[in-house]
Amino acid sequence: MYKFKELHAQKNEGQALIFSDLSEEDLKDIVVHEGVKIAEIAELFNIDIQMVEKKAQFAIEVDKFLNKQYERFMSNKKFNAFAKKQLFKDQDINMISKALTHFAFRNGPVEGMHADGKLSEEDMKILNKFMVNRLAYVFELILNDRWGMFDYLVKSIDRWYGHDWDKAEPDSGSMDQLLKTELEVALTKED
């Protein structure tokens, strides 16, 4: 469980939270890794925001540094071109399809349904296989530059299904934070 959520739960259970008892390492994890805002921490402990800022100064500086490194890393055109070339060099549709099935489907609400017994192991196998195979087809279209068929697939499906659903909202699933954490570890190892 994340430390901030754990502290929130303790407060909701009636436990008194004392800010001076929060270690600098825990505060750094809350700010840098969990991405909690200083104002939210101050509110949780019912203290002035400056108290949190003073104690979290190092964590804030580390976070600013990592954000700059992350932005440079992710916006680097050479890196993105290299990553695309590496990912598609073997046209590994199998790996891509399975990874994205986990990202977009398996590691979401369906996992909770499975854990609650609403979906059997066999149901999960059928659903996972269906998703992997459908994504494999989509990526095969993309990798083989079959943009006409891709366009037809998207527009014909949208015409009949889902066009009245809520607007899509990009959700990184915490991938940005995971990459920032890995960058922090890599930068720490360089020192």
Side-chain angles (χ1 to χ4, degrees), residues 30-159:
I30 290 170
V31 173
V32 176
H33 298 129
E34 297 176 34
V36 178
K37 294 178 177 27
I38 297 294
E40 293 175 290
I41 298 167
E43 183 181 324
L44 178 68
F45 284 93
N46 297 320
I47 59 173
D48 191 57
I49 197 168
Q50 284 80 21
M51 290 178 67
V52 180
E53 286 175 340
K54 184 178 179 183
K55 188 171 184 175
Q57 192 60 44
F58 177 72
I60 293 167
E61 292 305 316
V62 167
D63 190 45
K64 285 179 186 175
F65 174 76
L66 288 173
N67 282 335
K68 284 181 189 173
Q69 295 298 323
Y70 170 76
E71 291 303 323
R72 283 180 54 217
F73 186 70
M74 293 309 289
S75 63
N76 183 300
K77 290 183 183 191
K78 287 182 183 176
F79 166 75
N80 281 318
F82 174 77
K84 180 180 178 182
K85 186 177 178 181
Q86 285 299 110
L87 185 61
F88 293 142
K89 75 177 180 184
D90 297 325
Q91 295 193 2
D92 197 343
I93 294 171
N94 179 54
M95 177 188 68
I96 295 168
S97 300
K98 287 178 181 177
L100 290 181
T101 294
H102 273 278
F103 176 74
F105 175 71
R106 180 71 163 93
N107 295 346
V110 74
E111 178 57 30
M113 296 169 74
H114 179 233
D116 291 341
K118 295 177 182 172
L119 295 169
S120 69
E121 277 300 314
E122 189 59 32
D123 292 334
M124 289 302 292
K125 286 179 183 177
I126 292 167
L127 291 170
N128 289 335
K129 183 69 174 156
F130 175 81
M131 288 291 295
V132 167
N133 291 349
R134 286 293 173 95
L135 284 173
Y137 175 72
V138 169
F139 283 107
E140 186 176 77
L141 293 177
I142 292 169
L143 290 170
N144 292 315
D145 286 326
R146 294 183 60 203
W147 295 105
M149 188 61 197
F150 182 78
D151 180 65
Y152 173 74
L153 178 137
V154 170
K155 289 178 179 170
S156 65
I157 296 293
D158 180 65
R159 187 175 6 159

